Amino acid sequence: MSISRAIDLLNEKVANAVAYALLAAVTICTVNALVRYIFNASSNAWLEIQWYLFAAMFMLASSHTLKRDEHVRIDVIAGRFSKRTQVWIDLFGFVLFLMPISLVILYFGVPFALGSIQSGEMSSNAGGLIVWPAKLLVPVGFALMVLQGVSEIIKRIAFLAGKIDGHEFAKHVATPEEEIAAIKAANKLQ
């Protein structure tokens, strides 16, 4: 479980850092739109950096989404089964689908990114950016996903062995009190 907790902490920290990419993307998008409409000027670099930031949010936070059990799934069907059966379904999905696909993408993603880094690949758009940072997100994102997959497998096996009660991987559903507190905190920011 200590390995699982360390992986969870890593993905939590990465997701918290990537949250700033959203702020940067919104700021850049807003400034770009204002400059385009007020001064009739823009650059492909501004558009590409928005795409890169979106890619960073998606690729680097997907593993955190897995940790929080918030990926799309068939809860309507699985919700009818016992907790133990649900855990077996998760374990089956992680071992037979998530891990093999993630490892294959990681295997092909590393040379994909390294080739771009070595060639100094640039965008084909006029005024575009270097491409390798965006391509590097693929192997880094899937490496984080593989790690989180290992963590989830560890947690499911620990549950089946009776070592944990399942709260460590259960989806957190906010209570009305937590939602009210979050709204109050957000209003204080404004």
Side-chain angles (χ1 to χ4, degrees), residues 1-20:
M1 286 304 297
S2 61
I3 292 171
S4 176
R5 287 188 187 103
I7 293 169
D8 289 353
L9 181 63
L10 169 67
N11 277 317
E12 187 82 29
K13 289 185 181 293
V14 169
N16 288 338
V18 170
Y20 291 101

Side-chain angles (χ1 to χ4, degrees), residues 49-60:
I49 195 67
Q50 292 172 59
W51 299 338
Y52 289 10
L53 290 168
F54 175 76
M57 288 182 288
F58 180 81
M59 292 302 300
L60 302 178

Side-chain angles (χ1 to χ4, degrees), residues 29-48:
C29 181
T30 302
V31 170
N32 187 35
L34 290 173
V35 168
R36 191 170 59 244
Y37 289 114
I38 294 171
F39 301 108
N40 198 25
S42 186
S43 166
N44 285 330
W46 289 109
L47 296 172
E48 288 183 11

